[in-house]
Amino acid sequence: MKITPSSRVLSMLGEIDFDEWQCLAELIDNPFDDFLDILRSGVEWPDGFTVSVTLPSSPKGVLEVRDTGRGMSRDRLARAVRAGWSGNDMHDKLGLFGMGFNISTARLGRRTRVLTTRAGDPDWIGVEIDLDQIKDDFEAKDITEPKSDPSQHGTRIIVDRLHVTRADWLRRNGASLRNILGSVYSWILTEHPFELYVGGREVKPVRHCRWGDDRYVLYNGKERIPAYIPIDEKLQDGIACRDCGEWQIGSGEVCSVCDGGNLSVRERRIHGWLGVQRYLDKTDYGIDFLRNGRKILRWDKQLFTWNNPDGIAGNEEPEYPVELAHQGGRLIGEIHLDHVPVTYQKDAFEYGDRSWLTALEVLRGVAPLQPQRARKLGYTENESPLGLLFKGFRRNDAGLRCLVPGDGNKPVHADTRDWGRKFQAGVSEFQTDEHWWQAVLRHEEIKKQGKEARTIASVPVQPDEQAVLGALGMPVDIPATGTAKPGAGAVATVAAQPVAIKERSETRSERLARYEDAASPHAYLSRPFGHPELGYLKVRTLLLKSGERLRDDNELHVPVLLDQRSGNEVTALVDSEHAAFRRFGMDYADLLLVDLAAVLKVRARSDWSPSQLVAAIRAESLQDSALDGTTVGAEARDLLGEIRERVAEALDRSGGHTPAYGHLSKEEKTATEEAMIAAGRLGLLGRLGLDSGFVHHVPALALVRLVEAMPATFMDGAAFRGPYTGVSSPSAKALSLARVTGCLADVATLGTFVGEATAPQLRRARLSIALLRDELAGEE
């Protein structure tokens, strides 16, 4: 069988940069194309649609790709293995380039055998391409194999004499390979009855863990922004060449690029969805772009960067995520662009093509996503689908406002990422977003209880008026019940005692069931607790609702009560109104660990001291609560970034840029300029004082100065929710302002000098962070 070009050219194709998974994907695309043709034809296909990849078991092993497709005739096979030939329509198929087969097989090994057969054919027919044997006559060896069953059909590609490094990678990375292919082909594997096996194990589609279609947030308390936005934008049909794939400008009978006459009218459509992931991730966020069902771009972040359409350089910095960039992002999507051309490696689109540029405009508009930046550049608000999601979900505050699970104080990003892993693992409890949703609601409930507790604690206890009157020597009213001690002028009375009817006492099980009915789960403290030396307990922590008192078997009021279930399962009940929490400010986890330590000590027969037990369990099970400069400093900087954004927006609304910049000291202005230069924001230097851009670069402590100097600009719900302008009393105004500036000074100090902070300062800063979050506007 003749093949072209020469073996030397084929060998050179093996040097083209294809990763191992890309090589396999090229060999999987073609059978998937065949399967899609079968589905479109409507014929029955009882043998199923299966592609199986056998990985090499040793460095000298064999790679085989087998499918249950229709098989090929001898003529079709001869063309299929010829470098540069493609029988595929450039706009309908995954296998876009005829070179793909040659590149992938030459990159994997030195010899490739292709065997194919159709139902009813007597034999498997094929060709052997041996790069060490083929000469300049372009002759490849014909091969045949007998069939055990005439009804067999499909194609087999066997590659041996594998390159050592690639054979070793394939042999050691089966799980990683399945995960990549499960992501690349996730839409196809979900939407069609196709099966893909790699190394004897089925490849499962890697689906997006997104919020449900009915979830939304309220922006500014009134605008409803959904967490899932379907996209279906049909563009004007175009004329494309079926041979080279080029879209035609204008009308004509031949292709303007290849001069071929194989032209046809094609649909141009942008469809899919944009949405919000249920957790933040540092890398796994962004938009997936697909062509004919295969992902060309995964977790792509191009749409998060605004490029000036006028071509002015210096405006290419990312717009999302910005304020909390180190935490990652959660905006995601899956967009189909079947009409947009891709590169031969199928790892990028042709970004200069007008079809790609049109898609960008449909999805993210032409204006910057950041409203402050858009206003400065003269754009109206970005109302594109991505602009809407950015407005509603750019922040990551815990609670309903941003749709982020929390523990009543802060987001629980580590937990939500773990739940995401369970979603991908197929754990049934995490397949819908209900687990995340309940954690959001529990955060709001715990936060509400905390605010109520702080309000009650701030109200003075009602004095005993009778005691005060007595101390002043004034007449004291004797209680009508006759409970006062008889004395001069007093007549003792004895009330009739009713006969008490003894009622059946509540059993322990009934009491615990009553507590559970009056409790809500605490997401953060519901987790495994323990230590490798002690073992672990699976703890479900419940927080009693207001008004219910927690008592043990001796009727003593306790802050925490454990109910040990079967095995290692424990239910922990916590009374949030106990004096230990309300009066003395202890954390729920503090006393929960004390009780759990006692259980684990007995179970493990440990000789550790109580303090050693508690310290070890906390270090192992609550690592994210560590009071270290790195953790608390990051929390402080996150909050400061959010406050800078709010302060800048408040200045833009009020037009107070110039006076605000004037309040900075000479040293602060110098530090601001140096920070801008270090950040590469040279274009802002000439606009200092003309807009609010400097706010993002001023020293953190300068924010305190600005709020103190211009309280009417930032209070009353502008940046902070505390009242100011409408308060008549000067002392009350000062108190409302001090609630903000006092905590802000703590947070700014820690964000600047975190390396020098002591443990008491870190504790104070963490409390100030929580209190300052409560003061942010829109957090009611």
Side-chain angles (χ1 to χ4, degrees):
M1 186 177 295
K2 281 189 174 293
I3 63 171
T4 54
S6 69
S7 60
R8 180 173 177 273
V9 174
L10 292 177
S11 296
M12 291 174 63
L13 292 177
E15 301 303 317
I16 294 176
D17 189 17
F18 266 39
D19 289 336
E20 286 80 3
W21 76 264
Q22 288 178 291
C23 295
L24 278 183
E26 289 292 334
L27 304 181
I28 294 169
D29 280 351
N30 291 319
F32 275 180
D33 280 334
D34 191 27
F35 295 165
L36 290 170
D37 280 342
I38 295 171
L39 289 176
R40 293 187 189 105
S41 70
V43 302
E44 293 187 7
W45 201 252
D47 293 339
F49 305 93
T50 303
V51 178
S52 299
V53 179
T54 302
L55 298 176
S57 57
S58 68
K60 295 185 178 180
V62 173
L63 173 77
E64 180 174 351
V65 180
R66 177 192 295 255
D67 68 66
T68 59
R70 293 173 295 187
M72 293 180 282
S73 66
R74 179 180 174 82
D75 289 343
R76 171 82 180 187
L77 172 64
R79 293 192 298 270
V81 298
R82 190 174 300 158
W85 179 86
S86 176
N88 289 336
D89 187 302
M90 294 290 287
H91 291 275
D92 285 340
K93 304 296 177 68
L94 302 175
L96 301 178
F97 299 96
M99 301 290 279
F101 166 82
N102 303 99
I103 294 172
S104 58
T105 54
R107 188 159 177 80
L108 289 169
R110 300 296 296 171
R111 181 173 66 173
T112 300
R113 287 172 290 163
V114 182
L115 289 164
T116 187
T117 190
R118 298 170 297 179
D121 287 348
D123 299 300
W124 291 87
I125 62 172
V127 60
E128 178 179 287
I129 304 173
D130 190 330
L131 299 182
D132 297 323
Q133 298 295 326
I134 294 178
K135 307 301 181 182
D136 288 339
D137 58 5
F138 312 138
E139 290 286 344
K141 179 181 177 182
D142 292 342
I143 55 176
T144 59
E145 284 188 9
K147 293 171 64 172
S148 58
D149 182 348
S151 65
Q152 285 181 320
H153 52 84
T155 300
R156 295 158 53 196
I157 300 173
I158 305 104
V159 185
D160 61 2
R161 299 212 300 269
L162 300 171
H163 296 291
V164 175
T165 55
R166 285 183 267 284
D168 188 60
W169 190 94
L170 292 169
R171 185 168 59 90
R172 296 176 180 273
N173 292 278
S176 176
L177 186 56
R178 282 186 290 272
N179 184 69
I180 295 173
L181 295 175
S183 177
V184 170
Y185 295 111
S186 61
W187 187 85
I188 289 177
L189 294 174
T190 300
E191 297 296 321
H192 298 299
F194 299 172
E195 294 179 324
L196 174 61
Y197 290 85
V198 173
R201 297 180 59 182
E202 186 175 5
V203 173
K204 299 291 186 181
V206 179
R207 298 172 296 122
H208 280 294
C209 182
R210 65 170 177 84
W211 284 97
D213 300 3
D214 57 342
R215 303 299 185 196
Y216 63 92
V217 297
L218 289 177
Y219 182 75
N220 285 338
K222 54 185 178 180
E223 183 181 359
R224 179 169 169 165
I225 299 179
Y228 169 79
I229 300 177
I231 306 292
D232 194 353
E233 185 77 18
K234 192 176 186 307
L235 308 176
Q236 183 178 1
D237 290 343
I239 299 175
C241 177
R242 295 170 60 93
D243 296 328
C244 71
E246 190 72 19
W247 290 92
Q248 307 299 300
I249 299 177
S251 59
E253 296 183 356
V254 296
C255 176
S256 60
V257 175
C258 70
D259 292 329
N262 195 7
L263 304 180
S264 64
V265 177
R266 292 284 178 175
E267 179 185 71
R268 299 191 307 138
R269 177 179 170 221
I270 303 166
H271 63 102
W273 57 269
L274 296 177
V276 182
Q277 198 163 242
R278 301 178 208 163
Y279 59 90
L280 270 77
D281 195 275
K282 293 183 179 180
T283 57
D284 291 353
Y285 69 94
I287 317 300
D288 293 343
F289 289 96
L290 297 82
R291 192 183 196 278
N292 295 325
R294 169 177 164 171
K295 289 183 182 178
I296 304 301
L297 299 174
R298 294 178 295 145
W299 306 121
D300 188 71
K301 301 169 178 60
Q302 294 182 66
L303 265 65
F304 302 145
T305 297
W306 182 73
N307 293 292
N308 194 316
D310 297 327
I312 300 174
N315 293 288
E316 295 80 16
E317 59 191 64
E319 295 187 285
Y320 175 84
V322 176
E323 292 94 343
L324 309 175
H326 79 279
Q327 291 182 353
R330 55 180 178 144
L331 298 186
I332 56 174
E334 196 172 77
I335 301 297
H336 297 256
L337 301 176
D338 297 344
H339 64 288
V340 182
V342 300
T343 64
Y344 75 92
Q345 289 177 298
K346 300 179 193 171
D347 59 359
F349 287 86
E350 295 289 353
Y351 297 133
D353 188 89
R354 59 193 176 98
S355 299
W356 169 257
L357 299 176
T358 300
L360 292 189
E361 184 172 339
V362 168
L363 296 172
R364 69 145 291 151
V366 296
L369 297 175
Q370 295 176 331
Q372 179 185 0
R373 191 180 189 188
R375 285 193 297 271
K376 290 177 184 177
L377 295 170
Y379 288 95
T380 58
E381 182 178 343
N382 191 322
E383 297 181 348
S384 68
L386 186 62
L388 190 63
L389 282 179
F390 176 82
K391 180 168 66 172
F393 298 94
R394 63 184 293 184
R395 289 165 46 197
N396 304 318
D397 303 338
L400 287 168
R401 167 60 190 85
C402 298
L403 210 58
V404 173
D407 62 3
N409 179 34
K410 62 183 184 303
V412 288
H413 296 313
D415 287 342
T416 55
R417 279 190 289 271
D418 181 60
W419 302 341
R421 287 188 286 270
K422 292 178 180 177
F423 166 85
Q424 295 296 350
V427 179
S428 59
E429 179 185 357
F430 298 91
Q431 294 311 295
T432 70
D433 65 8
E434 188 64 22
H435 196 89
W436 282 262
W437 175 245
Q438 291 301 322
V440 171
L441 297 181
R442 288 194 293 267
H443 167 85
E444 295 289 353
E445 179 65 24
I446 296 170
K447 184 177 178 181
K448 179 182 177 183
Q449 291 179 10
K451 285 187 177 181
E452 291 175 350
R454 289 194 294 272
T455 301
I456 293 172
S458 66
V459 177
V461 177
Q462 183 68 28
D464 186 341
E465 295 184 10
Q466 300 297 323
V468 172
L469 292 173
L472 296 174
M474 301 177 69
V476 179
D477 292 335
I478 300 174
T481 58
T483 57
K485 184 177 180 180
V491 179
T493 60
V494 179
Q497 300 294 321
V499 177
I501 300 175
K502 187 175 182 180
E503 297 181 357
R504 183 181 69 86
S505 61
E506 186 180 41
T507 66
R508 185 175 191 273
S509 296
E510 290 172 338
R511 187 174 78 258
L512 292 174
R514 176 167 56 82
Y515 288 152
E516 289 198 31
D517 289 340
S520 58
H522 192 299
Y524 178 67
L525 294 179
S526 295
R527 60 172 66 198
F529 283 89
H531 188 273
E533 298 293 328
L534 304 170
Y536 291 85
L537 296 171
K538 185 179 180 181
V539 180
R540 181 173 68 113
T541 300
L542 303 176
L543 195 66
L544 261 66
K545 296 180 180 177
S546 179
E548 185 66 56
R549 301 273 55 78
L550 184 62
R551 299 184 183 276
D552 65 7
D553 295 342
N554 298 317
E555 289 297 314
L556 297 176
H557 186 194
V558 294
V560 176
L561 182 64
L562 298 185
D563 179 24
Q564 297 186 53
R565 305 294 173 92
S566 59
N568 291 330
E569 296 185 358
V570 173
T571 295
L573 295 156
V574 178
D575 185 353
S576 62
E577 296 189 357
H578 193 279
F581 306 125
R582 177 157 290 187
R583 291 186 60 196
F584 299 103
M586 300 186 74
D587 189 76
Y588 299 149
D590 294 336
L591 297 186
L592 173 61
L593 288 174
V594 171
D595 279 10
L596 293 175
V599 175
L600 289 168
K601 178 180 177 68
V602 173
R603 290 167 65 101
R605 298 180 180 179
S606 173
D607 57 358
W608 287 4
S609 68
S611 61
Q612 186 179 8
L613 286 163
V614 171
I617 298 170
R618 177 180 279 278
E620 175 70 18
S621 304
L622 296 175
Q623 296 180 11
D624 54 349
S625 69
L627 193 68
D628 62 85
T630 301
T631 303
V632 183
E635 294 175 9
R637 287 188 293 274
D638 287 349
L639 183 56
L640 285 172
E642 185 174 333
I643 290 172
R644 289 178 189 274
E645 184 67 26
R646 291 178 182 235
V647 166
E649 290 176 354
L651 287 176
D652 284 336
R653 288 193 296 269
S654 67
H657 318 116
T658 302
Y661 186 70
H663 284 298
L664 300 182
S665 67
K666 181 179 179 181
E667 292 76 12
E668 288 169 340
K669 291 178 179 178
T670 300
T672 301
E673 292 176 357
E674 291 175 348
M676 286 181 172
I677 293 172
R681 302 305 304 274
L682 303 180
L684 293 178
L685 290 175
R687 299 186 56 79
L688 284 172
L690 300 179
D691 58 35
S692 63
F694 71 93
V695 171
H696 299 284
H697 305 279
V698 298
L701 286 167
L703 294 172
V704 184
R705 182 195 302 276
L706 292 180
V707 176
E708 289 176 334
M710 305 172 65
T713 302
F714 304 117
M715 302 293 287
D716 297 313
F720 304 98
R721 64 186 181 92
Y724 188 82
T725 305
V727 178
S728 58
S729 167
S731 61
K733 279 188 173 183
L735 178 60
S736 181
L737 180 60
R739 288 169 62 95
V740 171
T741 56
C743 293
L744 180 56
D746 284 346
V747 177
T749 301
L750 183 82
T752 306
F753 306 108
V754 65
E756 304 170 14
T758 63
Q761 289 171 332
L762 291 173
R763 282 194 292 271
R764 171 174 167 167
R766 178 163 274 172
L767 180 58
S768 292
I769 289 170
L771 294 173
L772 189 56
R773 282 194 179 279
D774 284 344
E775 294 295 331
L776 294 179
E779 295 299 312
E780 293 79 10

